[in-house]
Amino acid sequence: MRGRLVAGNWKSNGDLAANQLLLGHLRAAAAGLQGVDCVVCAPYPYLFQIQQLLAGSTLTWGGQDVSQFGAGAYTGAVTAAMLREFGCRYAIVGHSERRSIFGENNAMVAAKFGAALQAGLTPILCVGETLQERESGAMEQVVGAQIDAVVTAAGVAALGKAVVAYEPVWAIGTGKTATPEQAQAAHAFIRSRIAAQDAVVAAELKILYGGSVKAANAAQLFAMPDIDGGLIGGAALVAEEFMAICKAAQRH
Ligand code: PEP
């Protein structure tokens, strides 16, 4: 049976004092959870603090992005090996904000995916369509191309060491959640797209849903057969909310 995973994406939020409080609450509450992996993805400067405060806890952590390059003359870029030095187990790649604001295309995302994997990180590959793409009936075409770019570059077996997050762009930070049925349909599509190349990899792949997940709607989403957890933005900054979402994802 696939495990459950809930990852919090802090985006460009936090400060040392607020993080300390939040991490303290998460650490205490996560100790009581079973059957779900809880991950904190934080801004780079706070990874040292997270390593100090979460070491030995049941929580793991990761970067919100990673360089597609190794060490060298790439000003501003943070390598996968650096993330590993700060205890990261995960790196988000291809978040829609990276794609739309920072101009990352499918080829760059595939390169970042490969760099993370090569350094021993588990990439959390984000895919998802815009509202316009959904309304014009292009969801499968867009999401299929995002998945295919990684499969072509890294091979389908690489997805066996990764997590996919389906995040419809129109649902991120908007308060507009996909219905459980809409999310399930997209997840089933992603799984079938991968199954066409490798049925075992597809069956074992964790596919998270992201887009305005809250404590109030998490259980209905996680009850869907192809939804294996969540990627959580705003609600990840509130300890009680994030922990309630993690709890809703527990397998009983
Ligand atoms: C995200 O940032 O990946 C996200 C899903 O944000 P939110 O939960 O705030 O919609």
Side-chain angles (χ1 to χ4, degrees):
M1 194 193 282
R2 291 188 295 273
R4 290 292 182 88
L5 192 150
V6 175
N9 172 18
W10 288 7
K11 312 194 187 195
S12 298
N13 293 296
D15 59 56
L16 290 170
N19 299 349
Q20 188 166 355
L21 276 177
L22 177 56
L23 293 166
H25 285 303
L26 296 184
R27 185 181 176 118
L33 294 176
Q34 272 180 349
V36 56
D37 292 330
C38 303
V39 184
V40 173
C41 295
Y44 297 137
Y46 298 133
L47 292 174
F48 180 72
Q49 182 191 27
I50 288 180
Q51 188 177 30
Q52 303 301 303
L53 296 181
L54 294 187
S57 76
T58 55
L59 291 147
T60 51
W61 55 96
Q64 298 174 4
D65 183 30
V66 66
S67 173
Q68 65 269 50
F69 304 112
Y74 304 104
T75 302
V78 171
T79 69
M82 292 171 190
L83 293 182
R84 282 296 303 266
E85 276 209 295
F86 289 91
C88 289
R89 297 265 295 275
Y90 295 88
I92 297 173
V93 298
H95 191 280
S96 69
E97 287 151 17
R98 300 291 323 169
R99 293 178 189 264
S100 66
I101 302 170
F102 299 97
E104 295 186 9
N105 59 28
N106 282 343
M108 286 166 72
V109 173
K112 289 179 174 215
F113 180 100
L117 210 54
Q118 210 182 3
L121 294 167
T122 300
I124 301 176
L125 169 67
C126 298
V127 298
E129 80 289 358
T130 63
L131 186 59
Q132 195 197 358
E133 288 161 346
R134 171 160 284 262
E135 286 176 345
S136 65
M139 183 276 280
E140 294 193 355
Q141 191 192 328
V142 171
V143 171
Q146 290 169 337
I147 295 284
D148 291 352
V150 168
V151 171
T152 303
V156 69
L159 282 174
K161 297 184 193 136
V163 172
V164 169
Y166 169 65
E167 298 208 304
V169 179
W170 47 273
I172 297 177
T174 58
K176 218 184 202 188
T177 319
T179 64
E181 293 71 24
Q182 282 174 320
Q184 166 58 27
H187 283 226
F189 164 72
I190 292 167
R191 208 178 293 288
S192 70
R193 185 88 169 195
I194 296 163
Q197 306 228 22
D198 191 320
V200 175
V201 166
E204 291 176 355
L205 177 70
K206 287 189 191 92
I207 307 179
L208 314 181
Y209 168 76
S212 299
V213 178
K214 296 175 181 52
N217 58 24
Q220 296 100 294
L221 288 160
F222 299 159
M224 292 289 143
D226 286 294
I227 301 183
D228 305 307
L231 181 55
I232 317 300
L237 298 169
V238 182
E240 297 72 29
E241 274 286 310
F242 187 62
M243 276 301 129
I245 293 167
C246 291
K247 204 165 175 200
Q250 281 182 296
R251 278 216 194 278
H252 301 287

